[in-house]
Amino acid sequence: MRINRILLSAPLVVVALVIQVTILARLQLPGAVPDLLLLVVVGLALVYGHVGGALVGFFAGLLADLAPPSDHAIGRYALVLCVIGYAAGLTKPESGRHRSATLPLIVVIGAAIVSTLMYAGVGALVGDTAARHVGIVGLLLSATLYDLLLAPFVVPLVMALARRTEGEPLTGDGSTSPSGSGSGYGWLTTGTGLKASRGAMKSVRSGARIGSQRGGLLGKSARDKVGRIKGVKRL
């Protein structure tokens, strides 16, 4: 991974984990705990792609496995987030920019469902039956609902920060902006392509005016030459 990606991903993962352990886990909400760490991994994977998403997911999950009050086998959540980061990164378009919020929200829903099922499945393999007592259906519904409620506040912000660290944020028409200016939230903003098309039309119009002025000057010069030649012949 690039150094700038590591410098951004590490503090985001740490902050998300601290908030999740110290605040969200103590709310005692029914069903699952809102997974802020999962949303951070998804947001980074949507910008970095499948390789970067898998690496971020693995190290974020490993940190969650080691952080207290963890009561499960080490590597369990690392495996889950590694798969989620890889799968979310596969949805990154070739242009590098999501045109709408539909696909990222679908990715969030899928990540909430798959992570819950994988976590419960891996736990069943190692003898952890906590999911059976709570109810897998209740965990799926609550995890999906909580993650969807948090996603509009977390995922766009994470994606905006990730695009800035990439060095070449994208404009609305899918091209890169060499000056470093651009939309931060990406899949929540539109309209820059219209501005670009208006600028192109202005350039075409100004070029046409300059061409017509040059044509008029050349025509006038040619008429003056013809007049002088005719005048000499008459003499």
Side-chain angles (χ1 to χ4, degrees):
M1 291 182 65
R2 301 175 184 174
I3 298 298
N4 55 351
R5 292 185 177 183
I6 297 175
L7 294 177
L8 174 66
S9 302
L12 284 179
V13 167
V14 171
V15 171
L17 181 61
V18 170
I19 294 175
Q20 183 168 324
V21 172
T22 59
I23 299 177
L24 298 179
R26 297 184 179 183
L27 294 177
Q28 296 182 352
L29 297 173
V33 176
D35 202 338
L36 184 62
L37 191 61
L38 173 69
L39 296 178
V40 171
V41 171
V42 169
L44 293 174
L46 290 173
V47 178
Y48 293 159
H50 59 283
V51 176
L55 292 174
V56 171
F58 175 78
F59 287 107
L62 185 62
L63 182 62
D65 289 331
L66 298 174
S70 176
D71 57 352
H72 56 264
I74 296 177
R76 180 177 172 184
Y77 203 47
L79 174 62
V80 173
L81 288 187
C82 180
V83 174
I84 294 298
Y86 182 86
L90 291 176
T91 65
K92 177 184 176 182
E94 294 182 359
S95 62
R97 187 187 187 87
H98 295 83
R99 296 296 182 179
S100 68
T102 303
L103 182 58
L105 287 179
I106 293 175
V107 173
V108 170
I109 295 174
I113 296 174
V114 173
S115 62
T116 303
L117 291 176
M118 282 191 63
Y119 190 82
V122 175
L125 293 177
V126 298
D128 185 0
T129 59
R132 296 180 182 177
H133 300 293
V134 178
I136 190 65
V137 177
L139 287 176
L140 286 174
L141 293 177
S142 58
T144 305
L145 177 61
Y146 297 152
D147 292 345
L148 275 178
L149 292 177
L150 285 177
F153 304 99
V154 178
V155 177
L157 179 60
V158 172
M159 293 177 66
L161 294 175
R163 283 198 180 96
R164 289 184 180 275
T165 58
E166 290 295 276
E168 292 186 356
L170 298 175
T171 58
D173 56 354
S175 60
T176 56
S177 174
S179 62
S181 61
S183 173
Y185 288 88
W187 54 282
L188 291 182
T189 56
T190 56
T192 53
L194 181 59
K195 293 180 181 179
S197 62
R198 289 178 178 175
M201 289 298 296
K202 289 182 179 179
S203 300
V204 172
R205 290 175 181 174
S206 61
R209 287 198 297 268
I210 293 174
S212 62
Q213 291 175 359
R214 289 179 178 177
L217 291 176
L218 291 175
K220 182 179 180 182
S221 177
R223 288 194 298 270
D224 292 341
K225 285 183 178 181
V226 172
R228 286 198 299 269
I229 292 173
K230 289 182 177 179
V232 171
K233 288 182 177 180
R234 288 175 181 175
L235 291 176

